[in-house]
Amino acid sequence: YEEKYKAHWDKVYEDLSNELTDNFREEFLDMHPYDQSLFFIEQSKENRMRIYAYLSPDELAEIMINIELDNTPAYFKEMNPRLGAMVLSEMPADDAVDIFNEMDKEEVVSFLTIMDKEAAEEIKHLLHYEEKTAGSIMTTEFVAVYKSQTTEQAMQQLKEDAPDAETIYYLYVLDEDKRLVGVLSLRDLIVADEKTKLEEVMSEKIVAVSVAKDQEEIAQMFRDYDFLALPVVDFQNHLLGIITVDDILDVMEEEASEDFSKLAGISETDRPNDT
Ligand code: ATP
Ligand code: MG
């Protein structure tokens, strides 16, 4: 497998360097998104500029969200700003917010002004939440249905929302006031009778996080409850967003390395005198 992988990688590299656009696209897009990112970060600036030219904004967005956050702003600097804005518009809002948090303020403002209006609004909204709280790591692309709908109607709704939803694994059920009153998994939906109302099949014992909750506590909730996503609500129980388990994995990694540096810092400076 490894040899095959290396041969493929070399071929992609050759075609990119020789500007064989179609071949490059076909072979590159055949790679797993994570491998695409690995390939990307190993390229020279010249080859990176080719990649920006050969891929579409949504294909580039996929690469950018897999790259170490510290390095991402530099890539956006070398792209044409209009392309950069399109790439940022294509990615899930929470990923774009993560990148914006690494950029200079002026840069953020200039991107927001040329970005797709709707995407920019979404991001501005998310940027208002305190860093490291549920609000700052949630995404607003979730599947919401109403309790008076039948499972058949919910399935139809799911079909419409699925292309853009961060996860289609859970459907969040709202009442007339858009308050979160229930949840059901895709499995629950599929096994229920088509004519059943959602309120009859949904689970009403909802585990939710408040929008101001600290990310470390949220990570603990994921460990405890084993859900693939958790809903985020305001104090009136309106559904604002969801946090998925892959977002939380990033948080756990971040927190672990912070704890580690703290530990290392203490052993450097606060070492007791051995005299
Ligand atoms: P699987 O086989 O993948 O486990 P599942 O239907 O059991 O399928 P789980 O992710 O294990 O899915 O969820 C178990 C149950 O918990 C589902 O019925 C789901 O509706 C419910 N659930 C999901 N999210 C929440 C939540 N935030 N609070 C309370 N219950 C939830
Ligand atoms: Mg289960």
PDB file of all heavy atoms in Angstrom, residues 109-126:
ATOM      1  N   VAL A 109     -11.356  42.134   8.641  1.00  0.00           N
ATOM      2  CA  VAL A 109     -12.328  43.101   8.150  1.00  0.00           C
ATOM      3  C   VAL A 109     -12.331  43.123   6.621  1.00  0.00           C
ATOM      4  O   VAL A 109     -13.388  43.120   5.984  1.00  0.00           O
ATOM      5  CB  VAL A 109     -12.039  44.511   8.723  1.00  0.00           C
ATOM      6  CG1 VAL A 109     -12.934  45.550   8.067  1.00  0.00           C
ATOM      7  CG2 VAL A 109     -12.249  44.506  10.232  1.00  0.00           C
ATOM      8  N   SER A 110     -11.134  43.100   6.028  1.00  0.00           N
ATOM      9  CA  SER A 110     -11.114  43.199   4.565  1.00  0.00           C
ATOM     10  C   SER A 110     -11.689  41.936   3.912  1.00  0.00           C
ATOM     11  O   SER A 110     -12.391  42.019   2.910  1.00  0.00           O
ATOM     12  CB  SER A 110      -9.711  43.531   4.047  1.00  0.00           C
ATOM     13  OG  SER A 110      -8.909  42.391   4.037  1.00  0.00           O
ATOM     14  N   PHE A 111     -11.459  40.784   4.522  1.00  0.00           N
ATOM     15  CA  PHE A 111     -12.080  39.567   3.980  1.00  0.00           C
ATOM     16  C   PHE A 111     -13.597  39.621   4.131  1.00  0.00           C
ATOM     17  O   PHE A 111     -14.334  39.287   3.215  1.00  0.00           O
ATOM     18  CB  PHE A 111     -11.550  38.314   4.672  1.00  0.00           C
ATOM     19  CG  PHE A 111     -10.325  37.751   4.020  1.00  0.00           C
ATOM     20  CD1 PHE A 111      -9.172  37.512   4.750  1.00  0.00           C
ATOM     21  CD2 PHE A 111     -10.318  37.448   2.650  1.00  0.00           C
ATOM     22  CE1 PHE A 111      -8.040  36.997   4.145  1.00  0.00           C
ATOM     23  CE2 PHE A 111      -9.190  36.930   2.040  1.00  0.00           C
ATOM     24  CZ  PHE A 111      -8.048  36.703   2.791  1.00  0.00           C
ATOM     25  N   LEU A 112     -14.043  40.056   5.304  1.00  0.00           N
ATOM     26  CA  LEU A 112     -15.492  40.074   5.552  1.00  0.00           C
ATOM     27  C   LEU A 112     -16.227  40.980   4.578  1.00  0.00           C
ATOM     28  O   LEU A 112     -17.362  40.704   4.201  1.00  0.00           O
ATOM     29  CB  LEU A 112     -15.784  40.501   6.999  1.00  0.00           C
ATOM     30  CG  LEU A 112     -15.533  39.438   8.064  1.00  0.00           C
ATOM     31  CD1 LEU A 112     -15.692  40.021   9.463  1.00  0.00           C
ATOM     32  CD2 LEU A 112     -16.465  38.236   7.897  1.00  0.00           C
ATOM     33  N   THR A 113     -15.562  42.050   4.140  1.00  0.00           N
ATOM     34  CA  THR A 113     -16.250  42.963   3.232  1.00  0.00           C
ATOM     35  C   THR A 113     -16.371  42.406   1.816  1.00  0.00           C
ATOM     36  O   THR A 113     -17.311  42.753   1.106  1.00  0.00           O
ATOM     37  CB  THR A 113     -15.576  44.350   3.176  1.00  0.00           C
ATOM     38  OG1 THR A 113     -14.184  44.152   2.958  1.00  0.00           O
ATOM     39  CG2 THR A 113     -15.798  45.128   4.449  1.00  0.00           C
ATOM     40  N   ILE A 114     -15.430  41.549   1.406  1.00  0.00           N
ATOM     41  CA  ILE A 114     -15.562  41.021   0.038  1.00  0.00           C
ATOM     42  C   ILE A 114     -16.149  39.608  -0.020  1.00  0.00           C
ATOM     43  O   ILE A 114     -16.425  39.082  -1.086  1.00  0.00           O
ATOM     44  CB  ILE A 114     -14.220  41.059  -0.750  1.00  0.00           C
ATOM     45  CG1 ILE A 114     -13.100  40.364   0.017  1.00  0.00           C
ATOM     46  CG2 ILE A 114     -13.853  42.480  -1.110  1.00  0.00           C
ATOM     47  CD1 ILE A 114     -11.798  40.263  -0.773  1.00  0.00           C
ATOM     48  N   MET A 115     -16.387  39.026   1.148  1.00  0.00           N
ATOM     49  CA  MET A 115     -16.963  37.668   1.171  1.00  0.00           C
ATOM     50  C   MET A 115     -18.424  37.652   0.760  1.00  0.00           C
ATOM     51  O   MET A 115     -19.093  38.680   0.800  1.00  0.00           O
ATOM     52  CB  MET A 115     -16.875  37.091   2.591  1.00  0.00           C
ATOM     53  CG  MET A 115     -15.607  36.369   2.892  1.00  0.00           C
ATOM     54  SD  MET A 115     -15.622  35.852   4.610  1.00  0.00           S
ATOM     55  CE  MET A 115     -16.735  34.444   4.520  1.00  0.00           C
ATOM     56  N   ASP A 116     -18.900  36.471   0.466  1.00  0.00           N
ATOM     57  CA  ASP A 116     -20.324  36.228   0.259  1.00  0.00           C
ATOM     58  C   ASP A 116     -21.092  36.794   1.471  1.00  0.00           C
ATOM     59  O   ASP A 116     -20.742  36.502   2.610  1.00  0.00           O
ATOM     60  CB  ASP A 116     -20.529  34.708   0.144  1.00  0.00           C
ATOM     61  CG  ASP A 116     -21.978  34.321   0.125  1.00  0.00           C
ATOM     62  OD1 ASP A 116     -22.595  34.504  -0.931  1.00  0.00           O
ATOM     63  OD2 ASP A 116     -22.480  33.851   1.159  1.00  0.00           O
ATOM     64  N   LYS A 117     -22.116  37.631   1.196  1.00  0.00           N
ATOM     65  CA  LYS A 117     -22.830  38.365   2.274  1.00  0.00           C
ATOM     66  C   LYS A 117     -23.335  37.442   3.371  1.00  0.00           C
ATOM     67  O   LYS A 117     -23.139  37.703   4.550  1.00  0.00           O
ATOM     68  CB  LYS A 117     -24.037  39.115   1.688  1.00  0.00           C
ATOM     69  CG  LYS A 117     -23.675  40.365   0.932  1.00  0.00           C
ATOM     70  CD  LYS A 117     -23.541  41.571   1.870  1.00  0.00           C
ATOM     71  CE  LYS A 117     -22.835  42.739   1.187  1.00  0.00           C
ATOM     72  NZ  LYS A 117     -21.542  42.401   0.544  1.00  0.00           N
ATOM     73  N   GLU A 118     -24.000  36.372   2.943  1.00  0.00           N
ATOM     74  CA  GLU A 118     -24.632  35.481   3.910  1.00  0.00           C
ATOM     75  C   GLU A 118     -23.589  34.817   4.808  1.00  0.00           C
ATOM     76  O   GLU A 118     -23.745  34.769   6.026  1.00  0.00           O
ATOM     77  CB  GLU A 118     -25.439  34.423   3.170  1.00  0.00           C
ATOM     78  CG  GLU A 118     -26.622  33.899   3.926  1.00  0.00           C
ATOM     79  CD  GLU A 118     -27.411  32.910   3.083  1.00  0.00           C
ATOM     80  OE1 GLU A 118     -27.772  33.275   1.944  1.00  0.00           O
ATOM     81  OE2 GLU A 118     -27.611  31.779   3.548  1.00  0.00           O
ATOM     82  N   ALA A 119     -22.505  34.340   4.185  1.00  0.00           N
ATOM     83  CA  ALA A 119     -21.445  33.687   4.953  1.00  0.00           C
ATOM     84  C   ALA A 119     -20.804  34.688   5.911  1.00  0.00           C
ATOM     85  O   ALA A 119     -20.518  34.366   7.070  1.00  0.00           O
ATOM     86  CB  ALA A 119     -20.397  33.096   4.013  1.00  0.00           C
ATOM     87  N   ALA A 120     -20.605  35.926   5.450  1.00  0.00           N
ATOM     88  CA  ALA A 120     -19.980  36.954   6.288  1.00  0.00           C
ATOM     89  C   ALA A 120     -20.841  37.265   7.513  1.00  0.00           C
ATOM     90  O   ALA A 120     -20.321  37.406   8.625  1.00  0.00           O
ATOM     91  CB  ALA A 120     -19.739  38.218   5.476  1.00  0.00           C
ATOM     92  N   GLU A 121     -22.152  37.341   7.310  1.00  0.00           N
ATOM     93  CA  GLU A 121     -23.066  37.623   8.425  1.00  0.00           C
ATOM     94  C   GLU A 121     -22.961  36.546   9.489  1.00  0.00           C
ATOM     95  O   GLU A 121     -22.852  36.817  10.675  1.00  0.00           O
ATOM     96  CB  GLU A 121     -24.520  37.690   7.922  1.00  0.00           C
ATOM     97  CG  GLU A 121     -24.895  39.000   7.269  1.00  0.00           C
ATOM     98  CD  GLU A 121     -24.494  40.214   8.103  1.00  0.00           C
ATOM     99  OE1 GLU A 121     -24.800  40.224   9.316  1.00  0.00           O
ATOM    100  OE2 GLU A 121     -23.843  41.138   7.554  1.00  0.00           O
ATOM    101  N   GLU A 122     -22.978  35.311   9.006  1.00  0.00           N
ATOM    102  CA  GLU A 122     -22.890  34.151   9.887  1.00  0.00           C
ATOM    103  C   GLU A 122     -21.616  34.233  10.732  1.00  0.00           C
ATOM    104  O   GLU A 122     -21.627  34.005  11.944  1.00  0.00           O
ATOM    105  CB  GLU A 122     -22.834  32.907   8.982  1.00  0.00           C
ATOM    106  CG  GLU A 122     -23.055  31.618   9.681  1.00  0.00           C
ATOM    107  CD  GLU A 122     -24.400  31.589  10.338  1.00  0.00           C
ATOM    108  OE1 GLU A 122     -25.398  31.663   9.617  1.00  0.00           O
ATOM    109  OE2 GLU A 122     -24.435  31.513  11.583  1.00  0.00           O
ATOM    110  N   ILE A 123     -20.519  34.562  10.073  1.00  0.00           N
ATOM    111  CA  ILE A 123     -19.221  34.591  10.751  1.00  0.00           C
ATOM    112  C   ILE A 123     -19.143  35.747  11.741  1.00  0.00           C
ATOM    113  O   ILE A 123     -18.677  35.584  12.869  1.00  0.00           O
ATOM    114  CB  ILE A 123     -18.090  34.656   9.711  1.00  0.00           C
ATOM    115  CG1 ILE A 123     -17.990  33.296   9.028  1.00  0.00           C
ATOM    116  CG2 ILE A 123     -16.768  35.028  10.345  1.00  0.00           C
ATOM    117  CD1 ILE A 123     -17.199  33.299   7.767  1.00  0.00           C
ATOM    118  N   LYS A 124     -19.642  36.910  11.336  1.00  0.00           N
ATOM    119  CA  LYS A 124     -19.639  38.078  12.244  1.00  0.00           C
ATOM    120  C   LYS A 124     -20.393  37.731  13.519  1.00  0.00           C
ATOM    121  O   LYS A 124     -19.985  38.066  14.618  1.00  0.00           O
ATOM    122  CB  LYS A 124     -20.329  39.272  11.566  1.00  0.00           C
ATOM    123  CG  LYS A 124     -19.395  40.087  10.710  1.00  0.00           C
ATOM    124  CD  LYS A 124     -20.107  41.343  10.227  1.00  0.00           C
ATOM    125  CE  LYS A 124     -19.845  41.544   8.759  1.00  0.00           C
ATOM    126  NZ  LYS A 124     -20.782  42.463   8.115  1.00  0.00           N
ATOM    127  N   HIS A 125     -21.511  37.041  13.320  1.00  0.00           N
ATOM    128  CA  HIS A 125     -22.334  36.617  14.431  1.00  0.00           C
ATOM    129  C   HIS A 125     -21.515  35.728  15.383  1.00  0.00           C
ATOM    130  O   HIS A 125     -21.492  35.943  16.585  1.00  0.00           O
ATOM    131  CB  HIS A 125     -23.525  35.864  13.845  1.00  0.00           C
ATOM    132  CG  HIS A 125     -24.534  35.444  14.828  1.00  0.00           C
ATOM    133  ND1 HIS A 125     -25.346  36.342  15.468  1.00  0.00           N
ATOM    134  CD2 HIS A 125     -24.867  34.230  15.303  1.00  0.00           C
ATOM    135  CE1 HIS A 125     -26.131  35.690  16.292  1.00  0.00           C
ATOM    136  NE2 HIS A 125     -25.863  34.409  16.206  1.00  0.00           N
ATOM    137  N   LEU A 126     -20.818  34.755  14.803  1.00  0.00           N
ATOM    138  CA  LEU A 126     -20.043  33.815  15.630  1.00  0.00           C
ATOM    139  C   LEU A 126     -18.844  34.490  16.297  1.00  0.00           C
ATOM    140  O   LEU A 126     -18.455  34.139  17.400  1.00  0.00           O
ATOM    141  CB  LEU A 126     -19.558  32.629  14.787  1.00  0.00           C
ATOM    142  CG  LEU A 126     -20.619  31.641  14.320  1.00  0.00           C
ATOM    143  CD1 LEU A 126     -20.008  30.574  13.430  1.00  0.00           C
ATOM    144  CD2 LEU A 126     -21.314  30.982  15.507  1.00  0.00           C
TER     145      LEU A 126
END
